[in-house]
Amino acid sequence: MASTGASSSLLLFTSSVLLFAALCAASVQYAPGLSENFYDESCPQAAAIVRSYVLKYLTNDSSFAGAFNRLQFHDCWVQGCDGSVLLNSTSTNSAEREAHVNFGLRGLKEVDEIKAALEYACPGVVSCADLLILAARDATSIAGGLSWSVGLGRRDSRVSNDLMADGNLPFPVFPFDILVDNFARKNFSAREMVVLSGAHTIGRSHCNGILPHIYNFTGGNNETDIDPTLNPGFAAYLKRNCPFGNRDNSIPIDSTSGKFDNAYYKNVLNGKGVFITDSTLITTPLGNSIVSSFAEGDSTFFQEFADAMVKMGNLGVLTGSQGEIRQKCQFVN
């Protein structure tokens, strides 16, 4: 039997280790200029305002969880997390939101409503770029995923161009190797690409991105030309809901589309990926291995997704005197 002194030393050592582990787990690396307490004095209610509106939207329509996730990704992947995806086109410029890859982008009106509430509470303080980061985090946690700490202090870009969006964002027809290359250009690994693909566990999609999966798959202009890896029953379901040439219908992109879970990976393994970029994840041994691991009940998907979202939020941020704080997210000041 250990002595009292030995037991006390062991307890002290164990407590120290646990405290160190907790501190390590809590420490998040943010881009220079960002901090978790950025608005503590200038607008302490900012995060609560964003969350209250996101909760309202998801209560009325759970698919908005996917919309807010998509907005963060489609913003950050093009010249960084700077709110540029929200800007309107002008008479001399076609903005990102008009890009082919941004077809059916949702949540823009809702973001404007949140921004108006932030401006009422704290005029000229909270950026549209930070709003998107907070909304994506809150949408994920409200839908059942993990929450995570976010660094804040981004400023908004005055520049937005549709060609930049089409040149940076992955299209839903990309095969595995092209997806890996696209993510590598942003310093994300193949595993992180598969992790972030898991955002398709929530939300809806217009048929625009689904049609190439179920018609003319090999480019032969053939309506019966379907991706052969698709589950036949699921392919028939997609065809019923996305008739040939219909870009505007929308369907859930996951069997539990209102809930953040790992059902997406189970669906992909069973030939029920909505997009080509979903089905392609299991066409290589590497992708298949990662998808299979995330399909397990005790997978690390939730934590890895949170970590990847934090990492994405660091891309190309504007801070300090760069950019501006837009009064309205659709327009430069």
Side-chain angles (χ1 to χ4, degrees):
M1 186 173 185
S3 68
T4 302
S7 297
S8 298
S9 298
L10 179 60
L11 180 61
L12 179 61
F13 173 75
T14 303
S15 299
S16 299
V17 170
L18 291 174
L19 177 60
F20 176 75
L23 289 173
C24 288
S27 62
V28 180
Q29 294 297 316
Y30 301 126
L34 304 184
S35 68
E36 293 177 31
N37 59 1
F38 187 83
Y39 296 116
D40 280 4
E41 294 186 7
S42 58
C43 192
Q45 65 271 53
I49 290 172
V50 174
R51 186 174 180 84
S52 68
Y53 276 86
V54 172
L55 178 60
K56 179 183 75 170
Y57 301 136
L58 266 63
T59 300
N60 293 331
D61 182 351
S62 62
S63 71
F64 270 112
F68 287 123
N69 265 263
R70 187 186 184 201
L71 279 173
Q72 173 175 330
F73 178 57
H74 282 233
D75 185 42
C76 293
W77 225 244
V78 185
Q79 71 183 13
C81 307
D82 60 1
S84 57
V85 72
L86 303 172
L87 282 171
N88 278 349
S89 296
T90 67
S91 59
T92 59
N93 178 68
S94 184
E96 288 175 33
R97 57 201 288 183
E98 309 300 334
H100 296 294
V101 74
N102 279 328
F103 182 89
L105 203 64
R106 300 176 65 217
L108 299 170
K109 179 175 70 68
E110 287 71 22
V111 166
D112 288 340
E113 186 176 6
I114 300 172
K115 176 60 172 172
L118 289 169
E119 284 296 305
Y120 180 81
C122 314
V125 173
V126 182
S127 68
C128 300
D130 277 348
L131 188 168
L132 291 182
I133 299 295
L134 287 166
R137 186 271 305 272
D138 293 341
T140 301
S141 64
I142 291 169
L146 294 182
S147 186
W148 55 85
S149 299
V150 293
L152 301 169
R154 297 167 191 79
R155 289 170 65 84
D156 299 321
S157 172
R158 300 184 182 93
V159 178
S160 180
N161 182 271
D162 61 343
L163 296 180
M164 291 181 66
D166 281 336
N168 280 275
L169 285 161
F171 279 80
V173 297
F174 280 3
F176 188 83
D177 59 337
I178 302 301
L179 282 174
V180 170
D181 178 68
N182 179 277
F183 275 69
R185 281 185 272 145
K186 308 294 183 185
N187 198 33
F188 281 72
S189 67
R191 184 179 183 89
E192 287 170 323
M193 179 272 288
V194 179
V195 167
L196 288 171
S197 296
H200 290 172
T201 190
I202 45 178
R204 301 179 65 86
S205 172
H206 287 86
C207 290
N208 181 64
I210 301 170
L211 295 178
H213 208 188
I214 52 176
Y215 305 104
N216 305 330
F217 178 69
T218 58
N221 196 30
N222 183 349
E223 293 184 28
T224 64
D225 186 12
I226 303 169
D227 180 351
T229 68
L230 275 176
N231 175 290
F234 187 66
Y237 159 77
L238 292 178
K239 280 180 168 284
R240 284 196 304 272
N241 289 277
C242 294
F244 183 74
N246 186 317
R247 305 169 66 207
D248 297 315
N249 282 4
S250 70
I251 64 168
I253 56 177
D254 181 81
S255 57
T256 56
S257 63
K259 181 181 179 183
F260 192 95
D261 56 22
N262 69 338
Y264 164 77
Y265 295 105
K266 298 175 184 178
N267 291 337
V268 170
L269 287 173
N270 290 319
K272 297 180 179 180
V274 169
F275 305 113
I276 291 173
T277 49
D278 298 326
S279 295
T280 197
L281 296 182
I282 57 173
T283 59
T284 70
L286 173 61
N288 192 295
S289 174
I290 299 169
V291 170
S292 297
S293 70
F294 288 152
E296 297 295 326
D298 58 350
S299 77
T300 58
F301 164 57
F302 278 41
Q303 185 60 59
E304 290 190 53
F305 183 85
D307 293 343
M309 290 292 279
V310 172
K311 179 177 176 178
M312 188 200 306
N314 287 332
L315 291 174
V317 297
L318 302 176
T319 60
S321 61
Q322 298 171 313
E324 64 183 14
I325 304 297
R326 287 190 225 131
Q327 296 175 357
K328 294 183 178 180
C329 292
Q330 296 181 53
F331 309 100
V332 297
N333 292 340

